[in-house]
């Protein structure tokens, strides 16, 4: 693998590509026990090592209510780095490419959900913990998001507004 691999926008990202990175286990992201229904991402970025995809990050514009204000965020999800190439800065590289694109999409904030052990990684990458309850849409209505919620500014001066947070769609 080159010293500083570049991320690229992917034409497609299917279960086959996900398996290329994480293998074909039943719960590659460790979130199946949440019972949540997730949305597929619309834009995908990846890093290849020769012909093998080794990292991915996906994006999706989502409606959210913060307090009494309806707005949008860019949801980041499906972040993955193959186990055998972790520790080489690939998460930083693939997220940087995805966030560069997210900045062109309009919303002022990026949002992601992660398992607690990943919070330090995302903090090192410039993300902030949202220390409040977040509700997300599910087939039976709004439910409390059991994972940690983190955000990042997509534009200069963007701060997370005060107020209750409701994702008006399935999570990403």
């Amino acid at each position: 693998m080159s010293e500083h691999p570049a991320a690229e926008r992917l034409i497609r990202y299917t279960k086959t590509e996900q398996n290329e990175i994480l293998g074909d286990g039943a719960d590659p992201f460790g979130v199946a026990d949440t019972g949540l229904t997730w949305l597929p991402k619309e834009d995908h970025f990846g890093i290849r090592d020769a012909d093998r995809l080794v990292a991915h990050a996906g994006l999706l514009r989502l409606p959210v209510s913060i307090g009494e204000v309806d707005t949008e965020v860019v949801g980041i999800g499906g972040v993955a780095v193959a186990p055998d190439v972790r520790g080489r800065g690939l998460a930083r590289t693939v997220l940087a490419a995805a966030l560069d694109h997210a900045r062109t999409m309009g919303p002022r904030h990026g949002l992601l959900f992660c398992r607690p052990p990943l919070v330090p990684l995302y903090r090192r990458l410039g993300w902030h913990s949202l220390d409040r309850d977040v509700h997300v849409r599910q087939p039976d209505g709004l439910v409390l998001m059991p994972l940690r919620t983190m955000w990042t500014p997509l534009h200069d001066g963007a701060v997370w507004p005060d107020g209750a947070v409701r994702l008006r769609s399935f999570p990403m």
Side-chain angles (χ1 to χ4, degrees):
M1 170 169 269
S2 73
E3 187 72 25
H4 298 286
E8 63 186 69
R9 191 161 183 186
L10 302 176
I11 295 169
R12 69 165 199 238
Y13 186 75
T14 65
K15 184 73 171 159
T16 300
E17 284 77 27
Q18 179 183 303
N19 290 351
E20 195 173 350
I21 299 170
L22 296 174
D24 61 357
D27 187 14
F29 293 99
V31 297
D33 64 342
T34 66
L36 295 173
T37 299
W38 300 85
L39 287 174
K41 278 43 93 192
E42 291 180 354
D43 296 296
H44 302 274
F45 294 82
I47 298 173
R48 295 188 188 282
D49 180 14
D51 290 334
R52 177 180 164 221
L53 191 63
V54 295
H56 170 266
L59 303 173
L60 179 65
R61 248 176 110 139
L62 298 169
V64 64
S65 295
I66 306 171
E68 299 303 316
V69 176
D70 291 340
T71 188
E72 289 185 316
V73 295
V74 176
I76 288 83
V79 179
V81 175
D84 62 315
V85 295
R86 290 181 183 158
R88 298 182 187 175
L90 300 182
R92 178 180 300 280
T93 300
V94 77
L95 274 170
L99 291 173
D100 282 347
H101 180 73
R103 289 181 184 94
T104 71
M105 297 171 69
R108 296 180 54 79
H109 305 96
L111 190 75
L112 64 76
F113 302 112
C114 68
R115 293 180 295 108
L118 295 174
V119 168
L121 166 68
Y122 286 109
R123 280 197 183 127
R124 284 192 305 276
L125 298 177
W127 291 76
H128 309 278
S129 291
L130 187 59
D131 295 323
R132 63 171 53 241
D133 289 345
V134 175
H135 289 84
V136 299
R137 178 106 24 233
Q138 287 295 284
D140 295 329
L142 287 176
V143 301
L144 183 64
M145 170 52 73
L147 301 172
R148 291 298 303 268
T149 303
M150 301 191 78
W151 71 277
T152 194
L154 296 178
H155 300 282
D156 288 343
V159 295
W160 191 267
D162 250 355
V165 180
R166 295 179 318 277
L167 188 63
R168 297 187 337 262
S169 71
F170 292 164
M172 63 290 166

